[in-house]
Amino acid sequence: MMKYIIAIDEGTTSTRAVLYDLEGKRSVLQKSSQIKQIYPNPSYVEENANEIYAETLSSLVEMIESADSVSDIVGIGITNQRETIVAWDKATGKPLYNAIVWQCRRTAEYMKNLEAEYGSFIRNRTGLVMDAYFSASKIKWLMDNVDGLREKAERGEVCFGTIDSFLAFKLTGGKAFVTDVTNASRTMLLDINTLDYDDELLRIFGIPKKCLPRVIDCDERIGEFEYAGVKIPVCGMAGDQQAALIGQCCFAPGDSKITYGTGLFMLYNIGYKPIISQNGLITTVGYRIGGKTTYAFEGSVFNAGSSVQWLRDGLGLFRHSKDSEELALSVKDNGGVYLVPAFTGLGAPYWNSEARGMICGLTRATTKAHITRATLEAMAYSARDLSEVMSAESGTPLSIIKCDGGASANDFLMGFQAEILGVPIDRPTEKESTALGAAYLCAIGLKECDFKDIPSFRATEKIFKPTGDQKYERYYGEWKKAVKRCLYDE
Ligand code: ADP
């Protein structure tokens, strides 16, 4: 008999199910389908919650059927796009409005107005920055704007939940109304210390507690999904970035993972105590396994792979993103060129929303190869900007970077990143860290393995080591000067 776990990875633009072979310790098959984004107005982003469930279900069923027998599937784990919120009817499970996606800016002004009175209270209580991105203001918007929703919610007939919660409810036939603690820590309703909903936060946003899911650990058993008369346990949930932290086995303080995708997402394990950042980093629950909570700092850079895309599509410098590597390596260095990809402003640690992109250091000897090299280097410098504040504020030096995401396939970039950070970069064989994290949580929760054995499951494809050459410090110094020039004096 084979033993498989299915990891559901419900992302922003696609949902997938991955079949993970527990004995072979590797994923063997996956199916993904697209999720349509709906833009009712330029700053609004919604998705159809019924479609999210239907597409997830069809991928899940395809994976179940690809096993020899349904009973080979020992469990289902879930990871998901975070902060996106769904309101559904407690009795029927029917969504009462489209899902409001994390990217949606409809509550930006509301959050801005809240800043003066509650900004520092909310930051200290939740570890989050004041932004429309998190779920609380989106729930408030639903209660204020959807006909009859407030009354229904006050009668306790509504469920408000993030996508993990919605999928768990649907898959268990309405039996489980839960959310995992990593997702809950992104709602802006959770006290980051006690891990309970906070009454003062509920009051500020006017949200009835009875409409919120019970907060559970990442490795808790949730219920069963019934298929062809077989009850498959649903167990293990975490938000996508946290699942990647787990999938990458960043289990010691100072361990970090960086995802090099459209944007760059860094999570830094800070141990068992939450630390509130003074530099606009987010403090988040990394995971809670076996009843023990580990926290993480989170920082993101809005434009990373997207700047390579810009060279490709905007400037037409090459045909495929991967061609950037060969072009960058055709010159011996960046020729003094620095590119700051502030296309949509700069995030942590600068928080300068009016800053715009800039290329500096141009001479008549500059070629497209230098510009390409500078663009790739910018990702590495941005990661150093984040890691500097993360290690200073946590008091724990950076130990290792585990990398993933599309641009982590670029050897030049990974080698350069190791030089700029001065620590090794470890690239795994298994590229889908997010789904892997959900599979691990499921296996731990079902006692198919011990948490302490998980690191032995992870295989490294390649390690990039720093040489310690001092010239990289000089390069980083030049980058900081370039960023200074591009900051907008607000
Ligand atoms: P996301 O999940 O955020 O959509 P992916 O992880 O699929 O993104 O990564 C895609 C991004 O990575 C694109 O912006 C692309 O330009 C960039 N990218 C992909 N391959 C490479 C490469 N070899 N070198 C540099 N950038 C790359």
Side-chain angles (χ1 to χ4, degrees):
M1 187 186 134
M2 297 291 290
K3 274 188 170 185
Y4 295 111
I5 282 175
I6 297 178
I8 291 173
D9 178 4
E10 201 298 302
T12 310
T13 56
S14 69
T15 182
R16 77 182 81 210
V18 179
L19 190 66
Y20 183 79
D21 169 4
L22 206 48
E23 317 269 281
K25 300 186 172 61
R26 62 193 182 98
S27 56
V28 286
L29 202 63
Q30 61 165 288
K31 163 82 196 312
S32 89
S33 40
Q34 296 301 305
I35 301 292
K36 257 197 291 317
Q37 293 206 303
I38 304 162
Y39 307 101
N41 133 358
S43 67
Y44 285 27
V45 189
E46 297 178 0
E47 287 175 2
N48 180 331
N50 284 319
E51 180 190 342
I52 292 179
Y53 182 60
E55 295 298 336
T56 302
L57 186 63
S58 94
S59 303
L60 171 65
V61 166
E62 194 170 324
M63 286 304 104
I64 295 176
E65 291 188 338
S66 64
D68 288 338
S69 146
V70 181
S71 50
D72 287 353
I73 313 285
V74 299
I76 300 167
I78 300 172
T79 177
N80 60 293
Q81 53 168 316
R82 306 169 304 170
E83 297 99 13
T84 299
I85 199 84
V86 184
W88 69 92
D89 185 300
K90 205 172 247 173
T92 65
K94 284 209 177 101
L96 300 166
Y97 197 77
N98 276 339
I100 302 187
V101 177
W102 58 273
Q103 295 153 323
C104 187
R105 305 303 301 165
R106 77 185 64 197
T107 55
E109 189 160 335
Y110 168 75
M111 288 305 296
K112 211 173 189 175
N113 293 337
L114 219 55
E115 170 76 47
E117 195 171 355
Y118 295 113
S120 78
F121 167 76
I122 292 180
R123 266 192 300 279
N124 288 319
R125 185 75 32 119
T126 65
L128 305 175
V129 294
M130 290 294 282
D131 197 273
Y133 181 52
F134 305 101
S135 321
S137 64
K138 300 181 197 295
I139 300 177
K140 178 181 163 31
W141 187 94
L142 287 168
M143 294 195 37
D144 288 347
N145 292 279
V146 178
D147 252 3
L149 191 68
R150 175 174 302 277
E151 294 71 25
K152 205 171 156 63
E154 275 158 7
R155 290 195 302 270
E157 295 166 11
V158 177
C159 297
F160 292 113
T162 40
I163 300 293
D164 58 313
S165 181
F166 179 61
L167 292 179
F169 186 92
K170 295 298 256 186
L171 290 171
T172 59
K175 290 206 180 76
F177 183 38
V178 294
T179 182
D180 100 277
V181 66
T182 67
N183 274 287
S185 76
R186 322 287 300 188
T187 56
M188 204 169 255
L189 298 172
L190 201 80
D191 180 327
I192 191 83
N193 281 289
T194 63
L195 306 184
D196 277 331
Y197 294 118
D198 180 84
D199 289 335
E200 180 64 5
L201 292 167
L202 293 171
R203 189 195 61 74
I204 294 170
F205 293 100
I207 297 167
K209 198 173 185 172
K210 57 188 170 212
C211 298
L212 296 174
R214 182 169 64 86
V215 181
I216 63 170
D217 287 10
C218 301
D219 58 343
E220 258 183 73
R221 187 171 171 141
I222 294 151
E224 280 97 31
F225 172 67
E226 202 167 326
Y227 186 76
V230 179
K231 288 186 166 145
I232 310 172
V234 180
C235 177
M237 291 201 295
D240 52 12
Q241 295 303 319
Q242 283 90 343
L245 190 75
I246 297 160
Q248 291 275 29
C249 302
C250 294
F251 298 139
D255 287 0
S256 293
K257 73 94 200 164
I258 301 182
T259 303
Y260 298 83
T262 306
L264 182 155
F265 296 92
M266 180 166 185
L267 253 72
Y268 195 107
N269 183 320
I270 56 171
Y272 303 133
K273 283 207 181 74
I275 301 164
I276 304 300
S277 167
Q278 304 307 315
N279 290 287
L281 299 169
I282 288 169
T283 309
T284 193
V285 174
Y287 48 85
R288 184 170 162 86
I289 297 174
K292 200 159 187 183
T293 311
T294 294
Y295 292 90
F297 272 151
E298 177 171 327
S300 52
V301 176
F302 307 139
N303 289 288
S306 56
S307 54
V308 177
Q309 246 165 300
W310 175 71
L311 297 184
R312 188 189 70 196
D313 307 335
L315 300 186
L317 297 193
F318 38 78
R319 281 196 49 202
H320 303 289
S321 291
K322 70 172 170 39
D323 302 338
S324 60
E325 181 167 358
E326 198 184 330
L327 198 53
L329 286 169
S330 70
V331 284
K332 69 174 190 343
D333 56 30
N334 64 15
V337 177
Y338 289 82
L339 182 145
V340 186
F343 299 108
T344 50
L346 287 170
Y350 305 105
W351 295 110
N352 197 274
S353 58
E354 304 298 324
R356 288 296 175 266
M358 186 186 68
I359 307 177
C360 62
L362 299 175
T363 66
R364 292 203 40 194
T366 303
T367 66
K368 65 179 185 178
H370 294 111
I371 291 177
T372 302
R373 192 164 172 130
T375 304
L376 293 175
E377 287 185 3
M379 285 193 234
Y381 300 131
S382 306
R384 166 94 183 251
D385 287 341
L386 291 177
S387 86
E388 293 262 301
V389 286
M390 288 178 171
S391 56
E393 291 201 83
S394 67
T396 315
L398 180 64
S399 53
I400 191 164
I401 298 282
K402 315 276 184 76
C403 65
D404 53 40
S408 72
N410 189 311
D411 283 6
F412 162 73
L413 172 61
M414 292 301 104
F416 191 79
Q417 182 71 86
E419 299 290 11
I420 291 298
L421 288 174
V423 299
I425 312 286
D426 174 324
R427 189 168 64 196
T429 346
E430 209 43 84
K431 306 296 179 206
E432 298 290 343
S433 320
T434 308
L436 199 58
Y440 289 167
L441 288 173
C442 182
I444 298 166
L446 295 175
K447 310 225 167 349
E448 290 291 337
C449 71
D450 246 25
F451 181 30
K452 66 172 180 5
D453 298 333
I454 293 291
S456 70
F457 284 34
R458 184 182 180 281
T460 294
E461 182 241 320
K462 191 166 178 175
I463 293 196
F464 299 85
K465 288 200 176 117
T467 58
D469 189 327
Q470 279 309 305
K471 73 178 177 200
Y472 295 102
E473 280 307 302
R474 193 163 41 81
Y475 293 164
Y476 181 61
E478 291 300 314
W479 157 264
K480 302 253 299 195
K481 283 191 215 154
V483 171
K484 225 179 219 159
R485 287 185 211 155
C486 121
L487 292 179
Y488 185 86
D489 199 3
E490 286 174 52

